[in-house]
Amino acid sequence: MKDEVVVRIDGLHKSFGPLEVVKGVDLEVHRGEVVVVFGRSGSGKSTVLRCVNFIEDPTAGSIEVAGIRLEGGHRTRRKHEQIRQLRLHVGMVFQQFNLFPNMTVLDNVTCAPRCASRGSNAEIEKRAKDLLDRVGLADKAKEHPIRLSGGQQQRVAIARALAMQPDVMLFDEPTSALDPELTGEVLSVMKTLSTELHMTMMVVTHEMGFAREVADRMAFFHEGRIHEMGTPEQLIESPTRPETRAFLDAVL
Amino acid sequence: MGEAWERLQLASARVPFRLKVAVVWVGIFAVLAFVGNAAQFDTDWIRDNLRYIVGGVRYTMTIAVGGIVLAIVMALLGALARTSRNPVAYGIAGFYVSFFRGTPLIVQMFLLYLALPPVGRNLAAEYTWLPEGFDEALLLDIGTAGIIALGLNYGAYMTEIFRSGIQSVAGGQGEAADALGMTYGQKMRRVVLPQAFRVVIPPTGNEFIAMMKDTALVSFLGTTVATAEVFRRAQLVGKADFKNLEAYVAAALVYWGLTVIFTFLQARLEKRIGRGYDRAHVAAAMLAANEQGQPRGGGAVG
């Protein structure tokens, strides 16, 4: 089932007032695939990611996740609920972690499955502890997030998103807010998601080492469009577009 | 002269600031005592009547607590409406806040107590399909009218406090809850409101203390002698004995005492809810944990 499409983005446009940030993006992500999205700030890469789970409402175009297809444009009450159903299939990890400071680490991870009644409390808690173990933070379950380092917080955020057993994980610059010595622990957890769980992932990042190692495909965003797309070897070693080359020269 | 002044300043520098402030307070009370004495302030009368006036604290507090409970409920509903994208909820809340902030509390009390009952009677006479007893339904007793007026009035002001509390919760929190597929109710109950309440508790305490003093306005609705609150009781006994000075000073002292007590309690509560969030507190806890885990005297050096 390697060819099963988990995320299908079709003719996506997004404007903020008069400013058009995304100007027609088409992208398919297959099950188990890791797509790294990169490009200059303001190129629309984060916005596309945030449109996939309707944190931003697309102005036009459509998004399909796990067979749920939704058009952009105005929200009706019915669509509001459909968006929520779609989100249950999508995990998201934010640049600023966004852990809930009023809850313990364990409660952060169990909160959403409890809200969605995904099994008994004991099952949910067991799964949450397994996930915390997977990200190497089983001993921090009873702590509050403020007592963790940035890298630890981001790993909890990954466990929190995984707890919903999503079909795809979105990472929006997951290491950009971290001190350099803490990015490694987050990237290595992300790598195990791909190698061990075969998780489908869309990752906005400038970590080219991670991209080279983990990505199946890379998409370079420029002025609201996918400017160039290919395998990491193609894009990093021999980009065809001058904009891609200029950007890579700047970050490598 | 100049030298003496300088010596005085140097001597003064050695006296703690708080002690000087205390001396100022003692001075103020001394002046007040002197004036009171000159005005033939009757302390014996106060001693005889203070018990009765303090007895009103029960009703004062009943009205204040009832009022703040209603105000918190109204403020919560109002704030949720003011932060929602629902035009009906937003509109109703906007009208509510505008009206109750735009008219005097005393007018609202009289509207509820005196102006509303005829509305009930007339509506019941006009529309016979209304349930039986509707003509009496808007007839409130004084305490209830006072509680409702205070609750609605303070609720309007507190709507703005709660709204800013909700808006103070970082936008990323709501996004994270949305991304996890939580419903609006789940997001508010589990993520946003618990964080907003922390911000809102101190100003709510201030509102409660302010309301405690505004309960005195209820006496203008004509409280019965048996259930009179502090101000009304002072008025009753003061007028009867021609001891207005003593009576109102006693009432003022009772309100002041209550305020001091609740300000103290509020400060303790604030300290408590700050725990777990307060970075200094967390840092101290982490330092303590580290010291416990390491051999004393710094094993790394040896």
Side-chain angles (χ1 to χ4, degrees), chain A residues 191-202:
Chain A
K191 189 180 162 192
T192 64
L193 298 190
S194 169
T195 55
E196 292 172 20
L197 299 179
H198 308 292
M199 180 58 74
T200 313
M201 309 203 282
M202 290 180 71

Side-chain angles (χ1 to χ4, degrees), chain B residues 71-131:
Chain B
I72 288 171
V73 172
M74 293 308 294
L76 182 58
L77 293 176
L80 288 174
R82 291 300 271 178
T83 53
S84 90
R85 301 284 310 139
N86 182 324
V88 178
Y90 191 91
I92 291 173
F95 171 83
Y96 162 65
V97 170
S98 180
F99 178 79
F100 280 94
R101 294 212 309 184
T103 54
L105 176 56
I106 190 77
V107 173
Q108 293 161 14
M109 282 186 176
F110 277 99
L111 274 175
L112 274 168
Y113 181 61
L114 289 179
L116 221 46
V119 174
R121 273 200 302 279
N122 294 343
L123 281 178
E126 185 82 17
Y127 301 108
T128 47
W129 48 266
L130 284 166

Side-chain angles (χ1 to χ4, degrees), chain A residues 50 84 87 99 102 115, chain B residues 173 175 178 181 186 190 277:
Chain A
R50 289 161 64 82
R84 203 175 70 78
R87 284 171 174 164
L99 291 181
N102 54 317
C115 283
Chain B
Q173 293 289 312
E175 282 183 7
D178 284 339
Q186 289 166 341
R190 290 171 185 251
Y277 280 87

